């Protein structure tokens, strides 16, 4: 029954609702050596449910570019560029920063709502699904593949999912 989460996380009614901890229902899990960690559902979610926010400090695009160039490679970076803004989650512990990229197997989409970046479900997600969205960047050197690990899919009874793109505030 997906109705419990839809009532709690619906994009249409989120302003009227009191949220429980948004990270309830998810866990960080090691996927494989190539991908590293990912975010897995611990409960079911419906199409249109708001899943997680992308955490971090909201900064300008130019400040994001500067930080991207300066972060040491052993630290890495978790930067989300959106129009003229950037959200820097490099030192955040929020689960949203661990959601992996996929242009062909995404099951979530990034959506800006009231100055925050939310990940929104593109399909019904059973327990054990790895959350993935399209980062919208084609030249990521570390991106070896955007196909979920076959071993992970088998072990977690998860299915490959559909492609997505970034939505504007109206959901288009």
């Amino acid at each position: 029954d997906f109705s419990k989460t839809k009532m709690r996380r619906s994009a249409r009614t989120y302003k009227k609702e009191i949220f429980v901890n948004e990270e309830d229902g998810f866990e960080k899990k090691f996927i494989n050596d190539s991908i590293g960690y990912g975010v897995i559902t611990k409960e079911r979610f419906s199409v249109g449910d708001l899943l997680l926010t992308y955490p971090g400090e909201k900064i300008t695009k130019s400040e994001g570019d500067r930080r991207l160039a300066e972060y040491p490679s052993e630290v890495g970076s978790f930067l989300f560029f959106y129009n003229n803004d950037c959200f820097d989650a490099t030192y955040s512990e929020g689960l949203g920063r661990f959601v992996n990229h996929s242009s062909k197997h995404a099951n979530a989409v990034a959506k800006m709502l009231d100055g925050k970046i939310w990940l929104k479900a593109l399909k019904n997600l059973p327990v054990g699904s790895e959350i993935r969205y399209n980062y919208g960047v084609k030249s990521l050197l570390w991106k070896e593949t955007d196909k979920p690990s076959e071993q992970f899919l088998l072990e977690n009874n998860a299915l490959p999912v559909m492609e997505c793109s970034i939505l504007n505030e109206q959901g288009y």
Side-chain angles (χ1 to χ4, degrees):
D1 176 24
F2 289 93
S3 61
K4 177 184 130 194
T5 20
K6 189 167 190 172
M7 287 176 33
R8 176 169 64 120
R9 300 175 187 268
S10 169
R12 291 181 294 279
T13 61
Y14 84 102
K15 291 181 182 177
K16 301 176 187 171
E17 312 243 348
I18 298 173
F19 277 68
V20 297
N21 178 359
E22 76 177 53
E23 294 187 357
D24 287 349
F26 302 94
E27 68 179 320
K28 180 174 91 170
K29 188 170 184 179
F30 185 78
I31 306 300
N32 63 36
D33 288 334
S34 174
I35 295 170
Y37 288 94
V39 178
I40 310 302
T41 59
K42 293 189 328 188
E43 61 183 67
R44 299 168 118 193
F45 293 93
S46 296
V47 172
D49 283 352
L50 296 175
L51 303 172
L52 295 165
T53 60
Y54 189 85
E57 178 186 7
K58 185 176 179 181
I59 56 178
T60 65
K61 180 185 180 308
S62 60
E63 176 63 12
D65 289 335
R66 186 190 68 75
R67 290 184 186 185
L68 183 61
E70 292 182 3
Y71 280 136
S73 60
E74 63 273 5
V75 172
S77 64
F78 292 83
L79 299 168
F80 188 114
F81 291 89
Y82 186 87
N83 294 332
N84 292 323
D85 294 320
C86 176
F87 294 80
D88 185 354
T90 302
Y91 295 105
S92 169
E93 290 299 318
L95 287 180
R97 83 175 199 149
F98 295 102
V99 176
N100 288 310
H101 165 81
S102 180
S103 60
K104 297 179 183 171
H105 303 284
N107 57 8
V109 64
K111 179 179 174 103
M112 181 71 81
L113 290 169
D114 288 340
K116 284 183 156 184
I117 298 200
W118 282 89
L119 297 179
K120 179 180 173 182
L122 287 175
K123 61 176 280 180
N124 291 339
L125 301 172
V127 173
S129 298
E130 181 188 1
I131 306 299
R132 294 236 178 159
Y133 73 102
N134 185 341
Y135 290 178
V137 179
K138 295 184 188 286
S139 61
L140 297 172
L141 298 176
W142 49 263
K143 227 175 48 173
E144 293 179 26
T145 178
D146 70 4
K147 184 177 180 185
S149 159
E150 294 298 325
Q151 181 179 357
F152 179 83
L153 291 172
L154 291 172
E155 290 173 358
N156 294 280
N157 196 25
L159 300 172
V161 293
M162 60 168 48
E163 188 168 345
C164 74
S165 61
I166 295 176
L167 298 177
N168 63 19
E169 290 191 27
Q170 289 76 38
Y172 303 108

